Amino acid sequence: MRTLMRPLFDGATYRSWAYAFLGAALSVPPLVVAVVSAPPTWPLPGRIAGFTLALVVVLAVMGSPRAARRGCLTLANRLLGTDLPAPAPASVRSRWADRVRTAAWLVPHAAVGVAATAATGVLAFAAVTFPAVWLNGGGRVTVLGSHVTVTAGVAGAWSPVVAALCLLLAAYVTTAAATGLRLLAPVLLDHRPAERAAAAEERARVLAGRNRLAQELHDSIGHTLTASP
């Protein structure tokens, strides 16, 4: 039972929910622009094209700054629990590739964030409402168009149990959303093979330079000691 309830008391669950909520918040600007760009007076094909084009353009703009990629990495590492390296110095071509990959990452982050935030919001609402109605003498609760009657007294004692199950389910929804994003993050946010090779070459050059300086310093000291009377 303790293992089953663990996600409800794990700090990683709440950090993951915060990450999902940020994804939901990130979805607002592109969705607003996309909706405005597809007025209802347009024919349906035009509305679909305008909505899609505006969505792609806004996501591309959001993912273009190098700071956006660094921010995505920082948030994923701190809230999602990933262990991704900082962006490596890149050529012009790879910078464009990074922009595309960052914009692509914003899509699942926003989509999963909206879904997880909405689901956990409904579950949290149910977890609070059922016990509250029961304690206030019973009544009818409407959740997503469904009506549930909560009876006062012992007959409605199931309400706290349902509330606990709703909270536990919300924790599992959050955990599942975070797991999916955590598996996808290395694909879009981690270094590409070419970047890893470039980073390894850069580290090798730096190490070779340090070794050369150390050898020169060693030879200089040795020469000085040898030349001393």
Side-chain angles (χ1 to χ4, degrees), residues 13-229:
T13 301
Y14 299 94
R15 290 191 295 272
S16 298
W17 185 90
Y19 191 78
F21 180 77
L22 287 174
L26 285 173
S27 71
V28 174
L31 287 176
V32 169
V33 174
V35 169
V36 172
S37 301
T41 55
W42 288 10
L44 183 58
R47 291 174 61 189
I48 295 175
F51 182 90
T52 304
L53 179 61
L55 197 63
V56 170
V57 169
V58 175
L59 287 173
V61 171
M62 292 174 63
S64 291
R66 186 167 176 81
R69 185 169 187 81
R70 188 174 297 276
C72 288
L73 284 164
T74 301
L75 288 174
N77 287 339
R78 292 184 179 180
L79 297 179
L80 198 59
T82 58
D83 187 20
L84 301 171
S91 64
V92 174
R93 180 182 302 177
S94 60
R95 282 203 299 268
W96 278 106
D98 285 347
R99 290 170 181 172
V100 172
R101 295 170 72 218
T102 303
W105 169 253
L106 296 178
V107 176
H109 186 191
V112 173
V114 169
T117 302
T120 54
V122 171
L123 290 168
F125 171 79
V128 172
T129 302
F130 280 111
V133 172
W134 175 56
L135 292 173
N136 283 285
R140 191 169 68 171
V141 179
T142 302
V143 180
L144 297 178
S146 300
H147 305 290
V148 180
T149 300
V150 180
T151 308
V154 178
W158 52 267
S159 298
V161 177
V162 170
L165 291 176
C166 286
L167 291 177
L168 184 60
L169 182 57
Y172 274 102
V173 167
T174 302
T175 301
T179 300
L181 290 174
R182 197 177 297 115
L183 292 174
L184 185 60
V187 178
L188 296 174
L189 296 180
D190 199 357
H191 291 171
R192 294 175 296 115
E195 290 176 318
R196 295 193 189 98
E201 292 177 359
E202 181 64 23
R203 285 195 298 270
R205 283 195 294 270
V206 172
L207 184 60
R210 291 176 179 175
N211 289 338
R212 185 171 59 255
L213 289 174
Q215 184 63 43
E216 291 176 357
L217 179 61
H218 178 271
D219 293 344
S220 176
I221 295 175
H223 177 73
T224 301
L225 293 177
T226 302
S228 297

